[in-house]
Amino acid sequence: THAPPPSPPLLTGLIGLAHSLHWRGDILSIYFVVGLVMIFFRNASDKVLIIASLLLILNLPIRIRDGYRVFYPTPPPTAQQQKQNEQKNKSYWDTVKKGNYRELLMANVPAIVDKFDFQFDSGRIYITLGYFLLGLLAGRRKWFAKWEEHRLFFKKWLKISGFATLGIIAVAVPLGIFFGSGEPKPWFNLLMSALYDVHCMLLTIFYIVGMTLLLQKKSWQGALQNFSVIGKMALTSYLSQTLIGII
C-alpha cells in the first residue's frame, strides 16, 4: 500500500514552515492554523457564521483587551527593552545584508514565535479567521457561483459599504484634528482603533462587490480578465517574491 498524499491544509503548513525559514513575514503558516480552526465551523449554521465572522473581523477580542487597558494600563517598555529590540533588529538586518544562507535560516527560526505573538497581540489572526468564515458563508450560499440571483445583493452592499466608508472618514478626520495632537488619550486610541477596524471591513467589502460588479460588464471584462492569471498562480507569485528577494 502507498501512503495517501498530504492533505491541502497539511501541505500549506509544510510550505508555510519552509517559507518562514526564508522570510519571517510568511502568511501561509498563519493560514494553516486558521484552517485548522475552520474545521470546527464546518457544520455551523449560517447565523453562527455571520455573527462569528462579524465579531472577529471587527477584532472584538483585542477591542475588549484595549478597553480593559483603559482602566488598567500596562507599563510602557523600558529604555533597556527598547535598546534590546533595536539591537535585535540591527543584528537581523546585518544578517540579511551580509550573512550566508544558513545564517539567514537560523535567524528566522525564533521569528516564527515572534510572528505568532504579533498576530495574537494585534488581533490580525482573529480578523483573518473572520474573513475565512465569511468566505465559507459565501461559498455555501453560492453568492459568486449564482451571480444573477444575487445581483441586487451585490449592488446593495456596494452602496452600503461605499457610503459607510466615506462616513467613517468624515467622522475620523475631525476627531483626529481636535483630539489627536499631543499625547493621545486612551479613550481616543480605543475609539480610533475601532473605527479603523470597521473602515477596513467596509472597504474590503466595497472592493470585493465592486470588482464583482465590474466583471459582469463587457467593457471591463477584457481588462480585468488579464488579472485572473495572477489569481490562478497566487501561491507561485507569492513564493517567487521571496525567491527573487533572497537572490
Side-chain angles (χ1 to χ4, degrees):
T1 59
H2 297 282
S7 63
L10 178 58
L11 184 59
T12 300
L14 294 175
I15 294 175
L17 178 61
H19 190 223
S20 294
L21 297 177
H22 295 80
W23 183 53
R24 55 178 55 191
D26 165 75
I27 195 62
L28 298 175
S29 52
I30 304 298
Y31 288 169
F32 170 67
V33 174
V34 172
L36 293 179
V37 178
M38 287 281 291
I39 295 174
F40 298 100
F41 288 90
R42 66 189 187 280
N43 296 322
S45 65
D46 289 356
K47 183 178 180 180
V48 169
L49 291 180
I50 292 173
I51 295 175
S53 62
L54 182 62
L55 295 179
L56 289 168
I57 291 172
L58 294 179
N59 213 355
L60 183 64
I62 301 303
R63 297 288 78 83
I64 293 175
R65 183 205 64 188
D66 291 346
Y68 174 83
R69 288 181 176 177
V70 170
F71 301 99
Y72 302 96
T74 55
T78 63
Q80 182 179 2
Q81 290 173 328
Q82 291 178 341
K83 186 177 181 180
Q84 289 175 345
N85 288 333
E86 291 175 0
Q87 291 175 343
K88 183 179 179 181
N89 292 335
K90 183 179 183 302
S91 176
Y92 178 69
W93 180 234
D94 290 339
T95 300
V96 171
K97 290 193 300 181
K98 305 173 183 177
N100 57 40
Y101 180 66
R102 179 181 178 278
E103 290 171 339
L104 176 67
L105 297 183
M106 296 305 297
N108 283 330
V109 170
I112 297 175
V113 176
D114 295 338
K115 176 177 64 178
F116 276 92
D117 286 342
F118 168 75
Q119 286 285 328
F120 282 102
D121 188 60
S122 65
R124 289 193 179 189
I125 196 166
Y126 305 125
I127 296 173
T128 301
L129 175 58
Y131 280 119
F132 274 35
L133 293 177
L134 190 61
L136 174 60
L137 179 67
R140 181 183 292 177
R141 292 193 173 185
K142 302 186 183 302
W143 285 342
F144 300 98
K146 297 183 178 180
W147 152 252
E148 289 297 335
E149 297 179 12
H150 301 99
R151 181 187 296 270
L152 295 179
F153 173 81
F154 277 87
K155 290 183 176 180
K156 174 184 175 181
W157 275 100
L158 181 70
K159 294 178 181 178
I160 292 175
S161 59
F163 285 115
T165 298
L166 295 176
I168 290 177
I169 295 174
V171 172
V173 170
L175 285 174
I177 294 174
F178 287 108
F179 301 103
S181 59
E183 186 67 24
K185 300 289 190 298
W187 68 265
F188 176 78
N189 290 334
L190 181 62
L191 176 61
M192 296 302 284
S193 296
L195 287 175
Y196 176 76
D197 288 332
V198 177
H199 174 263
C200 289
M201 178 187 71
L202 292 169
L203 198 57
T204 300
I205 294 174
F206 180 80
Y207 285 147
I208 292 173
V209 298
M211 187 65 71
T212 302
L213 289 168
L214 286 177
L215 279 168
Q216 310 311 314
K217 295 182 177 293
K218 291 184 178 180
S219 57
W220 282 86
Q221 285 179 356
L224 294 179
Q225 284 295 340
N226 293 327
F227 291 101
S228 66
V229 178
I230 295 297
K232 295 174 182 177
M233 299 179 62
L235 179 62
T236 301
S237 174
Y238 181 64
L239 298 178
S240 297
Q241 293 178 67
T242 299
L243 176 63
I244 294 171
I246 289 178
I247 294 175

